[in-house]
Structures are given as C-alpha cells and as structure tokens.
Amino acid sequence: LSIYYATGAATLDAAGEATVQQAIAALNASPAARVAITGYTDATGNRAANQELAKNRAVAVRDALQRAGVAADRITMAPPVEVQANAGGDDRAARRVDLTITP
C-alpha cells in the first residue's frame, strides 16, 4: 500500500486516510500481522530537510494506525529512502509512504 503526498506536505489527505483504513482492515483480519512503514524522498534540494519530511510523513501514518488501535509493537519504522526523480520530472514516487503488511 502506498500513500502519496503533495509537495512539502506531511498530513494525510482523504486518499491517504482511505489507504490507512485498508491497512487497519488487513491488520485487524490477522492479529499476528505486522506493518513496516517507509517514507521516501528525492535527491533534490536540502537533503536533511527532505529526510525530515519523509520521516514526518511516515510518523503521520504510524500515528493514524495507533489512533485506530494498532499496537506499537506491530509497527516498524524504516529509515527514509532516497529515490531519483523520474526523467519526466514527476517526483510523485519520492513523495510517498509505503506500508508493507506481513503475516
């Protein structure tokens, strides 16, 4: 599952909330399942600021999961991953958080 963000944003929009709800449903269906959260950033601009933004996006997802009752020990936070911008200039892939659910 992936959640995409507007440039410079770290808050969940309606589509992001819907994706979080999908993750919650999957986690509720399998009490032993865990979720790994990874934020992504691109290589342009200030690297430290980009890494912090990716982290804040991942934290927003983690917090939404925890507010919904997902136990902290079922959530793993991975360090931000830097990706290269698309040749066409579309950096949508760099403005995302991935949720990987494992049984």
Side-chain angles (χ1 to χ4, degrees), residues 40-51:
Y40 289 80
T41 183
D42 66 17
T44 61
N46 182 299
R47 185 171 192 205
N50 287 343
Q51 297 265 327

Side-chain angles (χ1 to χ4, degrees), residues 61-79:
V61 172
R62 180 201 65 198
D63 291 351
L65 290 170
Q66 288 181 327
R67 280 193 303 274
V70 177
D73 65 353
R74 296 179 71 194
I75 302 170
T76 303
M77 300 285 288

Side-chain angles (χ1 to χ4, degrees), residues 19-46:
T19 302
V20 167
Q21 291 303 315
Q22 289 177 350
I24 291 166
L27 291 165
N28 286 341
S30 178
R34 299 177 52 85
V35 61
I37 302 171
T38 306
Y40 289 80
T41 183
D42 66 17
T44 61
N46 182 299

